Amino acid sequence: MIPESEYFKRRAKLVNVLKPNSLCLLLAAEYKVRSNDSEYPYRQNSNFYYLSGFKEDQSALLFLKKNKKTKTILFVAKKDKLQELWNGKRCGIKRAKKLFDVDEVYGFDELEEKLALFTQEKKHLYFDFANQAFAKKYLRNYLKSIKHIHNIAPHIEQLRLIKSDAEIKLIKKAISITKEAHHRAMTKAKELRFEYELQAELEYEFKKNGAYSDAYTSIVACGNAANTLHYISNNKALKKGELILIDAGCEYEYYASDITRTIPASGKFSKEQKELYEMVLEVQLRILSMIKPGVKRSELQKEAVKLLTKGMIDLGILQGSIKHNIKKEKYKKYYPHGIGHWMGLDVHDEAPYKNKKGEEIPLFERMVLTIEPGIYLPKDDKNIPKKYRGVGIRIEDDVLITKDGYENLSAGIAKSVEEIEELS
Ligand code: GLY
Ligand code: MN
Ligand code: MN
């Protein structure tokens, strides 16, 4: 768990970037309707959670900065017996005062009234632009009268880029649960008939181990389905002789994991599948070995493009020189995505890739990112040797940048042909 003292420190850091005479409002997520009167499971807004650690809806965090002094106010839903009968216990104002190291706590129903009071004479207004419609509901009266309006999100996201020990611990826990899930999938694949059955095995393991949710909708794609990058229908039959791409990761205490393994439905890789798989694996291992502070993500991508292009030429998937295929972007047809992304409270963590000057941010200690090269060979592409068509392979690990290198946080998840076949 992340202690309140850490949330307090995060808020203190954020307050530093606020201009004098400002007001900054962050709102909790709203419930989202699934259909009619049923809602999706509630998930707190990541930026709000990062600063407050508060899990309930109908809450808000408000910073009021005069000159150097700042007041932090938390708004929470008031205790309400009837509401609580249907929806469960609320923290309420009294308890929130004890739990959270803020200056004042009010009921959420007082937010508008307090805003009217606090916005007087404020020059700067900050809110999360990703939450526009919702924030404007509360701020509509002040958007015209306050001179300078700023997006607070990039400032929070800058902080989110660097993970604390407590955050790293939660990410490691999420990955350890995801490891059990992928190993279960490898063990069960042979005896199951449909992609969704395999999805159920993965998600069973998530829930059984206390992961509240998946971090994103699991992809279980057999054969050619893996060539649809965000395939989530997971409703096709598992065919012996085909590969299954499984991209699945749980969320544990709000922290994500994001792991892909590609496994044989029969339990054994064919000769051709092994050739493709080991080519991608070698690329992934080479990219991993490059990782250390100071290296740029674009350098990793460039090298991945070079190595995958070479691998595809060697296997007869691309023709001509490496240079030609890169220049003409021929590789893009079979490797259309990036090498990886930041990960944290969100699977694609809302953290910047460039600094204020527009320059790429190099890797530094305590960042977490994924490394996920892949190749996607559609079954109807006549340029590909027949034996390789209808296969999609991705291998994805989650990596922590350390002082002088990296730690592969998902190194314990079976990845070599031998390891996967042994579990199958
Ligand atoms: N699971 C989404 C991704 O790999 O980026
Ligand atoms: Mn990913
Ligand atoms: Mn993924």
Side-chain angles (χ1 to χ4, degrees):
M1 291 304 271
I2 294 178
E4 170 59 11
S5 57
E6 188 167 325
Y7 292 106
F8 183 85
K9 276 190 213 144
R10 293 174 187 175
R11 292 193 290 267
K13 278 189 194 155
L14 187 73
V15 158
N16 272 335
V17 307
L18 300 179
K19 293 187 194 294
N21 212 357
S22 64
L23 178 148
C24 172
L25 176 68
L26 284 147
L27 288 158
E30 290 177 288
Y31 270 94
K32 292 189 176 65
V33 173
R34 179 173 180 273
S35 182
N36 190 21
D37 63 350
S38 55
E39 289 146 342
Y40 286 108
Y42 184 72
R43 167 58 158 81
Q44 187 56 279
N45 172 281
S46 292
N47 279 343
F48 176 80
Y49 186 75
Y50 184 77
L51 292 169
S52 68
F54 197 57
K55 297 178 178 175
E56 292 182 17
D57 72 316
Q58 293 186 58
S59 50
L61 199 54
L62 187 67
F63 299 100
L64 300 170
K65 189 166 183 176
K66 260 202 151 169
N67 291 317
K68 285 208 169 131
K69 274 198 96 143
T70 311
K71 196 184 263 187
T72 304
I73 304 172
L74 182 66
F75 292 83
V76 304
K78 282 184 177 152
K79 299 286 287 176
D80 178 330
K81 283 223 160 62
L82 185 64
Q83 276 295 326
E84 292 182 40
L85 169 68
W86 288 92
N87 301 320
K89 285 257 177 275
R90 290 273 191 193
C91 174
I93 297 174
K94 220 164 119 192
R95 216 166 115 71
K97 276 185 179 161
K98 277 203 195 123
L99 293 177
F100 298 96
D101 195 356
V102 293
D103 298 307
E104 289 168 20
V105 181
Y106 295 112
F108 188 71
D109 57 356
E110 295 169 86
L111 178 62
E112 299 210 41
E113 178 193 316
K114 296 290 179 197
L115 280 174
L117 195 71
F118 296 143
T119 45
Q120 284 172 20
E121 291 170 28
K122 287 282 179 287
K123 278 208 182 111
H124 298 271
L125 173 62
Y126 294 81
F127 65 94
D128 187 341
F129 284 10
N131 255 344
Q132 288 265 2
F134 191 32
K136 281 183 179 171
K137 188 169 137 191
Y138 295 96
L139 296 169
R140 63 187 181 282
N141 296 333
Y142 319 110
L143 290 172
K144 283 212 178 92
S145 58
I146 294 182
K147 254 195 177 155
H148 306 284
I149 297 182
H150 313 269
N151 187 6
I152 192 63
H155 300 291
I156 305 170
E157 289 153 9
Q158 184 71 36
L159 300 177
R160 282 174 57 183
L161 202 48
I162 307 159
K163 270 67 180 178
S164 69
D165 287 344
E167 288 182 290
I168 292 166
K169 218 167 146 188
L170 293 177
I171 292 172
K172 284 185 173 171
K173 175 74 179 173
I175 293 169
S176 78
I177 295 172
T178 296
K179 169 183 162 181
E180 297 307 317
H182 277 272
H183 283 178
R184 187 181 181 91
M186 288 173 195
T187 316
K188 294 265 179 185
K190 234 171 23 186
E191 65 192 66
L192 301 176
R193 290 183 309 146
F194 289 94
E195 292 165 343
Y196 52 77
E197 290 181 63
L198 208 43
Q199 179 181 8
E201 297 290 346
L202 289 152
E203 292 173 11
Y204 166 78
E205 205 65 45
F206 291 169
K207 287 237 159 61
K208 191 177 71 133
N209 289 294
Y212 167 72
S213 169
D214 40 47
Y216 51 92
T217 306
S218 309
I219 296 170
V220 182
C222 188
N224 195 52
N227 295 313
T228 302
L229 293 178
H230 281 168
Y231 175 84
I232 50 169
S233 39
N234 302 344
N235 58 4
K236 295 202 176 64
L238 298 172
K239 288 204 194 112
K240 301 277 178 283
E242 293 193 335
L243 290 183
I244 314 167
L245 184 154
I246 301 174
D247 186 347
C250 72
E251 179 178 290
Y252 184 80
E253 278 297 321
Y254 288 80
Y255 282 83
S257 54
D258 182 9
I259 305 292
T260 308
R261 290 292 183 264
T262 308
I263 65 171
S266 66
K268 276 247 170 287
F269 286 85
S270 71
K271 180 172 163 287
E272 292 75 22
Q273 288 165 349
K274 195 171 158 184
E275 286 163 359
L276 293 170
Y277 185 86
E278 292 198 320
M279 188 275 277
V280 179
L281 179 58
E282 205 185 306
V283 173
Q284 205 234 15
L285 296 176
R286 295 269 294 271
I287 301 301
L288 284 170
S289 73
M290 290 171 68
I291 294 178
K292 60 177 184 211
V295 171
K296 291 186 182 130
R297 218 172 49 108
S298 62
E299 291 164 3
L300 302 178
Q301 171 71 344
K302 201 169 160 197
E303 188 64 11
V305 163
K306 200 171 100 193
L307 295 172
L308 287 169
T309 302
K310 180 178 183 310
M312 288 192 275
I313 293 169
D314 291 347
L315 293 172
I317 297 163
L318 290 172
Q319 281 74 44
S321 68
I322 300 177
K323 214 168 145 190
H324 166 81
N325 278 286
I326 292 177
K327 197 164 163 223
K328 298 277 173 201
E329 296 193 335
K330 299 268 187 204
Y331 67 87
K332 259 198 179 158
K333 205 165 149 196
Y334 308 125
Y335 173 53
H337 58 72
I339 190 63
H341 49 83
W342 311 142
M343 192 189 82
L345 282 172
D346 285 287
V347 59
H348 296 164
D349 218 21
E350 285 284 331
Y353 289 96
K354 289 182 176 167
N355 65 20
K356 277 186 202 134
K357 289 189 212 148
E359 299 156 341
E360 187 179 356
I361 300 174
L363 301 180
F364 53 84
E365 204 181 340
R366 293 186 177 276
M367 281 177 164
V368 174
L369 82 159
T370 67
I371 296 295
E372 48 180 306
I375 53 166
Y376 309 90
L377 308 171
K379 74 166 185 225
D380 55 2
D381 188 329
K382 304 271 186 321
N383 296 317
I384 300 168
K386 205 164 175 196
K387 59 183 180 178
Y388 294 142
R389 288 181 210 159
V391 173
I393 295 170
R394 178 164 64 254
I395 305 171
E396 177 175 27
D397 282 310
D398 302 335
V399 167
L400 169 71
I401 310 300
T402 57
K403 194 158 159 269
D404 34 38
Y406 72 98
E407 182 185 348
N408 182 356
L409 302 176
S410 43
I413 306 180
K415 188 161 72 168
S416 69
V417 164
E418 295 73 28
E419 283 167 347
I420 293 172
E421 287 187 346
E422 201 177 317
L423 277 175
S424 300

